[in-house]
Amino acid sequence: MRRATPPILSVLVPLLMTLAAGASAASAPAQRVPMLGFSEEGAGGQRALEQRFDAELKAADQREWMRWMAAQPNHVGSPHDKANAEFMLARYKEWGWDAHIETFEVLYPTPKSHALELVAPTRFSAALKEPPIEGDSTSSMTEGGLPPYNIYGADGDVIAELVYVNYGMPDDYKELARHGVEVKGRIVIARYGAGWRGLKPKLAYEHGAVGCLIYSDPRDDGYFAGDAYPKGGFRPADAVQRGSVLDMIVYPGDPLTPGVGSTANAKRLALKDAKTILKIPVMPISHADAQPLLAALGGQVVPKAWRGALPMTYHIGPGPAKVHLKIESEWKRKTLYDVIATMRGAQLPDQWILRGNHHDGWVFGAWDPLSGNVAMLAEAKAIGALAKQGWKPARTLVYASWDGEEAGLLGSTEWVEAHADELRRKAVMYVNSDSNSRGFLSAEGSHSLQHLVNQVAADVRDPQTGVSVQQRLRASLQVNGFESDASAEDKRVARLAADGGDLPIGGLGSGSDYSAFLQHLGIASLNVGFGGEDQQDGVYHSIYDSFDHYERFGDPGFAYGVALAQTAGRIVLRAANADVLPLRFGDFADTVARYVDEVHKLADSERERSIALGKLHDNDAFRLAADPTRTSLPPPREDEVPYIDFAPLDNALVRLQRSAKAYDAAYASVAARGLELPAEQRKAVNALLQGMEQSLLDAKGLPGRPWFQHFIYAPGMTTGYGVKTLPAVRESIEDRRWDEATRGVVRTAGVLDAYSARIDQATKSLR
């Protein structure tokens, strides 16, 4: 699946800025800051270790591994998927790791037949396939591959009028209602973008649609954005974005085994009882197949914001376009192959640092996921070389290459559910990556790890400019905030970047394998990668996500593959070897303070909007402002917004800030003395820090989705991949569930108080 896009809109200007900054940095003496978690002596040894680690990283290794692993289709159930797992297993063992393959049996439907036809007012049969492209050596190797489809959509055979719904997000349905258009009993066609694909058919079904088509408009990632493949890297006319439509915001993983590892003998739900399988047929199509369907639509011309880049006038419908959509699938189980490699810790074997990336693709998957997976393999090879030279990590390292991620985070979720009790006792941190390419560092995750990420980013060199990846990102964030179309958030982050302190990391929603670790078990997690200067988006989840495409348009020379291995590898090594686990709580407290301020303002803005809307209704403004020749209905009135009692949350925030400040001060005092702690005292502190993130869980889970138990970060119910922070409060306000918002305030305050209490214990142990 997709990781978050790096925060960069401009390329040339930040490049010039960082080149200048690099010249300045080269002339100034390097400043060493205390390495979080290490004594001064320990930090010196750690830096020497990391230099030896870097020396073992070879771009040529990553290139060769990707070339082999992307040579054939490697979706779940394919022979090459299993062969890739066995290939990695052999490498891990060769490098000295204790490795095995762990299997799970999951429901994995695959298409038996599918068809899409325009039956009125003219006839057209969609091709539903991707032809070979000259210069792409694997694009003709379709034997053994799956056709374009959306896994976990329903089977169906329907004929109905077509309606264009823009991106198919909640606001789009509100706009349709204002135009007097309903989708009940009809098939919708939505373009990719603006939200996770699985929400599009889910919302369509909730509005009464009987089928859903999702197409890639060239405005978003095709010829409108840049030259199409093979001239450039952007989406060619026949490319199709496959993907899962599993309702992962309810729970990810095998839809038949929620909360339980899907071993061969696991108790399973009946197919009809699986809550995450959709109720209507869904089909992804190319813009070449979409254009005749869209061109046949009548009705009103779409609003300006709904217009794509196809050479035609976009209409909403319904009709006269009528389409026939047919999908029949084989609903059988497939075997997942998770590759798990362990290096036992010499001093603290029962504290685990976990590192993961998935290995399954939709077809060849060179960018997504193999670009990240080969960087992780490079880390494992380098760590193995260090171990053969006599070094051992203090804490246990667990490296995992997950299977089945693309279908719905299957391999990681099932493994986490199967090992939940042990992970709660032993897991310290999970570091994830997914796709990787040329450009800027992107990092999201638990904010107690923000300072660790910044320290590592300051020590990794950017391959193109020679400055640190932190310095280059700092420049891009400042330029981004300067642009004329910069958002308020862009400007806020630019101010932080200009101050010279730590750069903020983002919160984690969903879309990759960290979800079960962070949001189900409460294990502090990070997701890291590079990107922003590549041309990979156009071949995302298509047959053209190939080795040939990646080598030209993703990361030529695999220099950023090495940078990712250096970045993730340093995070892992520092967490593994630190005297005191490298957490800093002031960063988390500052971030939560911003989130609390946001929900206060959200409630106020909703109240102001409702009042303003009521006045417009009272003054008959919508009727008077509308074009009488077109249907333009007013938005419905909204209920009055009550004043929510935020006092429990505000008080919990004050306590969190006080506790975080006390811990960070106590740590600084101990660090100034060289982290000279007796062994038992250090053990007590680390034991408290190890399970810190679990304090942010509520065992009852979020409203309507108990699998998600983290009360600070969650995927949004109407964003999917996108994070919702303080979700029990924020989403209740957004959905105007006022009693639930009040309960969410109290429950969120409770987890923050528990977190603060644990920080206080760690502070006491430090002192």
Side-chain angles (χ1 to χ4, degrees):
M1 291 188 183
R2 186 193 283 289
R3 60 172 173 82
T5 303
I8 178 63
L9 296 178
S10 174
V11 171
L12 179 59
V13 176
L15 177 57
L16 294 174
M17 288 181 65
T18 50
L19 285 171
S24 174
S27 62
Q31 290 187 331
R32 290 290 190 191
V33 297
M35 185 183 289
L36 189 64
F38 291 85
S39 66
E40 185 174 349
E41 180 182 358
Q46 182 67 21
R47 292 188 192 281
L49 177 73
E50 290 170 5
Q51 289 177 354
R52 291 162 56 200
F53 171 79
D54 285 356
E56 298 292 336
L57 301 174
K58 303 291 189 294
D61 284 345
Q62 295 192 37
R63 183 186 185 278
E64 181 58 24
W65 295 332
M66 179 187 285
R67 186 194 63 77
W68 194 91
M69 295 184 76
Q72 297 179 46
N74 54 35
H75 58 273
V76 170
S78 68
H80 198 58
D81 180 57
K82 182 181 180 183
N84 278 343
E86 292 170 342
F87 169 82
M88 289 184 289
L89 177 65
R91 302 289 81 71
Y92 277 117
K93 289 183 175 181
E94 174 188 325
W95 301 331
W97 293 73
D98 180 9
H100 67 280
I101 290 176
E102 193 161 345
T103 61
F104 295 95
E105 302 296 318
V106 297
L107 179 69
Y108 196 93
T110 54
K112 292 170 63 176
S113 64
H114 62 172
L116 176 64
E117 303 171 287
L118 178 69
V119 297
T122 57
R123 299 194 71 88
F124 164 76
S125 293
L128 305 181
K129 61 182 180 180
E130 297 165 305
I133 282 183
E134 185 177 355
D136 190 306
S137 59
T138 55
S139 62
S140 61
M141 298 169 56
T142 56
E143 185 176 354
L146 294 171
Y149 81 114
N150 287 134
I151 193 170
Y152 300 120
D155 287 355
D157 188 345
V158 293
I159 298 175
E161 288 183 315
L162 192 65
V163 178
Y164 175 56
V165 295
N166 192 29
Y167 290 113
M169 292 290 104
D171 286 346
D172 296 320
Y173 283 97
K174 293 177 182 177
E175 184 70 22
L176 282 176
R178 295 196 64 188
H179 289 278
V181 177
E182 293 185 352
V183 302
K184 186 175 182 179
R186 294 170 171 139
I187 295 172
V188 304
I189 182 168
R191 53 176 169 159
Y192 270 113
W196 179 57
R197 80 180 68 80
L199 292 170
K200 300 172 190 286
K202 180 180 180 179
L203 290 168
Y205 170 74
E206 290 174 354
H207 285 83
V210 296
C212 179
L213 307 174
I214 314 176
Y215 82 102
S216 301
D217 197 284
R219 173 175 289 276
D220 300 310
D221 60 10
Y223 57 72
F224 189 85
D227 288 325
Y229 193 47
K231 182 178 181 181
F234 291 89
R235 190 175 298 274
D238 294 301
V240 182
Q241 183 189 140
R242 297 153 176 80
S244 177
V245 292
L246 186 76
D247 198 356
M248 289 190 296
I249 55 177
V250 175
Y251 60 85
D254 185 348
L256 303 185
T257 60
V260 178
S262 56
T263 56
N265 298 321
K267 185 177 180 180
R268 288 171 165 80
L269 299 175
L271 187 61
K272 63 180 179 60
D273 296 325
K275 295 181 179 180
T276 55
I277 296 174
L278 297 195
K279 307 298 183 184
I280 59 174
V282 191
M283 181 179 289
I285 59 176
S286 66
H287 71 74
D289 279 342
Q291 184 170 342
L293 309 182
L294 292 166
L297 283 171
Q300 298 180 53
V301 174
V302 302
K304 183 178 180 180
W306 287 34
R307 297 171 193 169
L310 291 170
M312 53 177 241
T313 301
Y314 286 68
H315 291 262
I316 296 175
K322 184 177 288 187
V323 298
H324 175 210
L325 170 62
K326 181 181 179 181
I327 299 175
E328 183 183 7
S329 303
E330 183 176 71
W331 293 82
K332 290 187 175 181
R333 294 186 211 166
K334 299 287 193 302
T335 301
L336 300 181
Y337 300 94
D338 288 346
V339 185
I340 310 296
T342 303
M343 186 172 290
R344 183 176 171 84
Q347 286 89 44
L348 298 163
D350 288 338
Q351 290 196 352
W352 293 0
I353 311 300
L354 298 112
R355 170 78 172 96
N357 199 105
H358 71 103
H359 65 81
D360 65 299
W362 278 113
V363 190
F364 305 109
W367 174 47
D368 182 12
L370 295 179
S371 59
N373 192 69
V374 296
M376 185 179 73
L377 289 177
E379 298 163 35
K381 181 182 179 183
I383 291 171
L386 295 177
K388 289 179 180 179
Q389 296 165 17
W391 169 83
K392 292 294 182 183
R395 295 176 177 86
T396 294
L397 302 182
V398 180
Y399 268 57
S401 187
W402 310 114
D403 204 357
E405 188 268 3
E406 294 292 4
L409 319 182
L410 303 183
S412 58
T413 299
E414 300 312 318
W415 190 83
V416 166
E417 290 175 343
H419 297 275
D421 290 341
E422 188 173 25
L423 287 167
R424 289 188 185 101
R425 296 193 310 271
K426 298 179 180 180
V428 172
M429 177 193 306
Y430 174 68
V431 182
N432 190 71
S433 59
D434 201 319
S435 52
N436 188 64
S437 57
R438 185 171 69 92
F440 299 84
L441 175 65
S442 173
E444 304 87 27
S446 303
H447 284 83
S448 57
L449 300 172
Q450 179 171 288
H451 190 56
L452 171 63
V453 172
N454 272 268
Q455 287 201 326
V456 166
D459 284 347
V460 175
R461 298 294 100 183
D462 175 70
Q464 295 180 123
T465 64
V467 302
S468 73
V469 297
Q470 185 201 48
Q471 188 174 348
R472 188 161 193 236
L473 178 58
R474 187 183 303 280
S476 77
L477 295 174
Q478 290 176 259
V479 172
N480 194 17
F482 177 77
E483 301 288 1
S484 59
D485 59 349
S487 67
E489 177 64 10
D490 293 333
K491 294 176 181 178
R492 184 191 71 83
V493 173
R495 289 192 295 270
L496 292 174
D499 288 343
D502 280 355
L503 300 177
I505 65 174
L508 283 173
S510 188
S512 198
D513 289 303
Y514 50 77
S515 200
F517 291 94
L518 176 66
Q519 291 147 352
H520 189 57
L521 290 193
I523 297 166
S525 298
L526 290 169
N527 189 55
V528 295
F530 288 84
E533 294 180 328
D534 57 281
Q535 295 182 23
Q536 289 293 144
D537 284 352
V539 298
Y540 177 58
H541 286 189
S542 78
I543 197 173
Y544 310 118
D545 181 5
S546 63
F547 176 80
D548 291 333
H549 187 284
Y550 186 80
E551 193 169 40
R552 288 182 63 193
F553 301 110
D555 179 18
F558 289 78
Y560 280 93
V562 173
L564 175 57
Q566 291 174 325
T567 303
R570 274 174 168 76
I571 292 171
V572 167
L573 290 173
R574 292 187 188 185
N577 289 342
D579 298 310
V580 175
L581 284 170
L583 306 179
R584 195 170 80 173
F585 299 110
D587 302 319
F588 176 72
D590 290 344
T591 302
V592 171
R594 177 164 57 86
Y595 295 161
V596 170
D597 182 59
E598 287 171 358
V599 295
H600 272 276
K601 291 178 178 177
L602 176 62
D604 290 341
S605 65
E606 287 292 314
R607 184 178 302 106
E608 292 165 3
R609 183 183 182 281
S610 294
I611 292 170
L613 178 61
K615 289 180 178 178
L616 290 172
H617 272 281
D618 293 342
N619 296 331
D620 202 20
F622 289 106
R623 182 183 66 82
L624 296 175
D627 182 344
T629 66
R630 303 184 65 183
T631 301
S632 183
L633 303 174
R637 286 181 182 266
E638 295 175 347
D639 57 316
E640 184 178 340
V641 178
Y643 284 89
I644 298 169
D645 182 8
F646 285 107
L649 188 57
D650 295 337
N651 290 331
L653 172 61
V654 171
R655 180 181 178 186
L656 172 65
Q657 291 171 318
R658 182 172 60 244
S659 297
K661 183 178 180 180
Y663 175 87
D664 290 348
Y667 172 82
S669 176
V670 173
R673 302 195 305 271
L675 289 180
E676 295 176 357
L677 294 173
E680 286 303 311
Q681 187 179 359
R682 183 181 296 121
K683 181 179 179 181
V685 173
N686 282 322
L688 287 164
L689 297 179
Q690 178 267 324
M692 188 68 69
E693 195 88 10
Q694 294 179 43
S695 302
L696 297 172
L697 302 184
D698 184 312
K700 294 180 180 178
L702 292 174
R705 42 180 180 154
W707 190 92
F708 288 95
Q709 297 182 6
H710 205 295
F711 265 56
I712 308 302
Y713 319 107
M717 290 290 288
T718 56
T719 59
Y721 286 161
V723 64
K724 287 289 183 179
T725 54
L726 307 186
V729 181
R730 189 184 300 270
E731 292 195 314
S732 297
I733 295 173
E734 290 173 341
D735 295 340
R736 308 177 75 81
R737 304 190 304 267
W738 309 123
D739 290 343
E740 194 170 276
T742 299
R743 291 192 294 270
V745 165
V746 174
R747 295 178 70 193
T748 304
V751 301
L752 289 175
D753 282 339
Y755 191 78
S756 297
R758 195 171 179 111
I759 294 176
D760 293 342
Q761 288 180 276
T763 304
K764 183 178 179 180
S765 294
L766 269 181
R767 288 172 174 165

